[in-house]
Amino acid sequence: MVVVNHMPLQSVFTVMFEGITKNSLLAIPFFVLAGNFISGGTLGKRLIDFCSTFLKNIRGGIPLACLISNALFGAISGSPPAATAVFAKIVHKPIAESDGEKMATGLVTSAAGLASIIPPSVIMIIYGISTDTSVSDMFIAGILPGVLLVVIMAVYLVLKCKKKAKDPVTAGEIGQSLKRGIPVLLLPVLVLGGIYSGFVTPTEAGALSAVYCAVVSIFGLKEIKFSAVPEILRDSIATSAQVFLLIAASAFFARALTISQLPQWITQSFGSFPRTGFLILLLILLLVVGCFFDPSAAILILGPMILPAATSLGISAIHLGIIFTVTLSVGMFTPPFGLNIFVAQSVLGLDMKEITKSLVPFILLYLIGVIIITFIPSISTILPTLL
């Protein structure tokens, strides 16, 4: 743009700066910070223990507890790598003992992908901002697709896993797990309840989540010392900075694409396909891109380009956003660059080949969900329409 089109260099940085001066983006560092406070204390373990108490007498009770806990964690943080790190430490060993190493590794690494789909989701925030789509509507639209994927994986776990606890759950165990779980169970209620009731915006919900996790971890449960807070803040800043650099660069990239008229060319080219053909090509494109690119970068680049073509075929921005979110979430645990795989490798100390093999059935389960969500748009659009 500078050399060929003679754009002043200052304009490049002006566009990049404008790309990150949006209030909605403040939700990202807040949710990242909340996830890091959860990772630093026992809130994640309390969540697992609560779910395990109610599910231990069901076939595959511990794996199911891991699955449900990941879904609830998604309603708190919206970060798949954070979910992988938290639950790999807590629940990998018990699942490996009851149902095998392959099941434990595959489930822990793949179930964390739900954190991108169950609202609030960082990916949904980025899609909403990059395509001028309501973030609140995206959050509402993500509920049923998230539930669908949980159901698909739950059915597989019940059929695949054999073992269950022989001892019945006692009232004392239920009471104890509920007491321990209240601090973390209240958070999804506060965050999602606040957003859907209109009491807080998604950005304010992120701030509420971060403050709540900090207060509970430091003052309530006293699990995190003040001396550990600077390190938690540093980790959160580093993660947020990576995302914001992507957003800033993509803002200028989008401007360059607009000037080159590439979006118009894509709209004309893709618009010539029938709706079904367009959706099939889109899924293939996103699955391939998800293997090599971070979901945030993929959405920032592809979202604004694909949306006009999708709209011309009668595909709503909300439905398209859910397709992007769910399909790119699969990329979080597919080789060669799935971030969840690297996190699991770091936490569990396993060979990447072993992790990749364990993920095959779960990738197939997600793909079933992706196809259903893509070709039945009402799953994504019915709740935003009603609410």
Side-chain angles (χ1 to χ4, degrees), residues 38 43-44 46-52 54-55 64-79 83 87 111-112 114-115 117-120 146 150 181 184-189 191-192 209:
I38 293 172
L43 289 175
R46 289 167 182 264
L47 187 58
I48 281 283
D49 290 344
F50 174 79
C51 294
S52 298
F54 288 91
L55 297 170
L64 283 171
C66 175
L67 176 65
I68 301 300
S69 297
N70 270 281
L72 292 174
F73 188 89
I76 299 171
S77 170
S79 172
F87 295 114
L114 292 169
I117 303 164
I118 303 288
V150 170
V184 67
L185 293 171
L186 279 176
L187 190 49
V189 177
V191 172
L192 297 181
S209 178

Side-chain angles (χ1 to χ4, degrees), residues 201-212:
T201 65
T203 303
E204 292 164 346
L208 177 65
S209 178
V211 171
Y212 178 89

Side-chain angles (χ1 to χ4, degrees), residues 369-380:
V370 166
I371 292 170
I372 294 172
I373 291 164
T374 300
F375 292 100
I376 306 179
S378 58
I379 295 174
S380 306

Side-chain angles (χ1 to χ4, degrees), residues 225-255:
K225 297 180 179 179
F226 277 106
S227 59
V229 173
E231 183 64 27
I232 291 174
L233 292 174
R234 274 194 294 269
D235 289 343
S236 302
I237 290 168
T239 303
S240 301
Q242 292 173 5
V243 176
F244 274 74
L245 283 170
L246 282 172
I247 294 171
S250 69
F252 179 74
F253 186 69
R255 179 70 62 86

Side-chain angles (χ1 to χ4, degrees), residues 33-376:
L33 181 58
N36 284 337
F37 271 113
I38 293 172
S39 302
T42 65
L43 289 175
K45 187 176 187 309
R46 289 167 182 264
L47 187 58
I48 281 283
D49 290 344
F50 174 79
C51 294
S52 298
T53 301
F54 288 91
L55 297 170
K56 73 175 187 177
N57 292 128
I58 300 174
R59 281 179 57 174
I62 300 177
L64 283 171
C66 175
L67 176 65
I68 301 300
S69 297
N70 270 281
L72 292 174
F73 188 89
I76 299 171
S77 170
S79 172
T84 304
V86 169
F87 295 114
K89 296 174 186 175
I90 299 170
V91 82
H92 177 268
K93 185 176 179 181
I95 296 177
E97 291 173 351
S98 64
D99 298 286
E101 180 72 31
K102 188 175 179 181
M103 171 62 74
T105 305
L107 179 61
V108 166
T109 309
S110 63
L114 292 169
S116 292
I117 303 164
I118 303 288
S121 161
V122 171
I123 294 179
M124 289 181 185
I125 294 171
I126 292 173
Y127 175 85
I129 291 168
S130 64
T131 60
D132 290 324
T133 305
S134 168
V135 175
S136 295
D137 285 347
M138 284 298 301
F139 282 177
I140 296 171
I143 295 175
L144 290 183
V147 170
L148 174 66
L149 285 169
V150 170
V151 170
I152 291 172
M153 294 181 71
V155 171
Y156 172 78
L157 293 176
V158 171
L159 295 175
K160 185 74 174 177
C161 303
K162 305 294 183 184
K163 293 186 178 181
K164 63 180 180 179
K166 296 180 180 179
D167 300 327
V169 181
T170 65
E173 288 178 318
I174 294 175
Q176 185 65 23
S177 67
L178 182 59
K179 181 180 177 181
R180 282 178 49 80
I182 283 176
V184 67
L185 293 171
L186 279 176
L187 190 49
V189 177
L190 288 173
V191 172
L192 297 181
I195 292 173
Y196 300 145
S197 67
F199 183 71
V200 295
T201 65
T203 303
E204 292 164 346
L208 177 65
S209 178
V211 171
Y212 178 89
C213 290
V215 171
V216 169
S217 299
I218 298 171
F219 300 104
L221 303 176
K222 298 181 179 178
E223 295 171 341
I224 296 179
K225 297 180 179 179
F226 277 106
S227 59
V229 173
E231 183 64 27
I232 291 174
L233 292 174
R234 274 194 294 269
D235 289 343
S236 302
I237 290 168
T239 303
S240 301
Q242 292 173 5
V243 176
F244 274 74
L245 283 170
L246 282 172
I247 294 171
S250 69
F252 179 74
F253 186 69
R255 179 70 62 86
L257 291 177
T258 301
I259 293 173
S260 68
Q261 296 187 334
L262 184 60
Q264 292 90 326
W265 178 83
I266 290 176
T267 300
Q268 293 171 358
S269 301
F270 275 64
S272 62
F273 287 95
R275 180 189 174 104
T276 301
F278 170 83
L279 289 173
I280 292 172
L281 285 175
L282 178 62
L283 289 185
I284 294 171
L285 173 65
L286 293 178
L287 288 170
V288 172
V289 167
C291 291
F292 299 95
F293 287 88
D294 178 84
S296 301
I299 285 176
L300 288 165
I301 294 171
L302 295 175
M305 287 196 298
I306 299 295
L307 181 59
T311 304
S312 69
L313 293 172
I315 300 168
S316 71
I318 295 291
H319 183 210
L320 182 69
I322 296 301
I323 293 173
F324 265 85
T325 300
V326 177
T327 310
L328 291 174
S329 294
V330 180
M332 294 298 293
F333 54 90
T334 52
F337 298 118
L339 187 54
N340 288 7
I341 298 177
F342 292 107
V343 174
Q345 184 183 32
S346 174
V347 175
L348 302 175
L350 297 175
D351 182 77
M352 185 171 287
K353 187 177 180 180
E354 295 177 45
I355 299 175
T356 303
K357 283 183 178 179
S358 71
L359 285 167
V360 172
F362 295 99
I363 292 173
L364 294 176
L365 291 172
Y366 267 82
L367 290 179
I368 292 171
V370 166
I371 292 170
I372 294 172
I373 291 164
T374 300
F375 292 100
I376 306 179

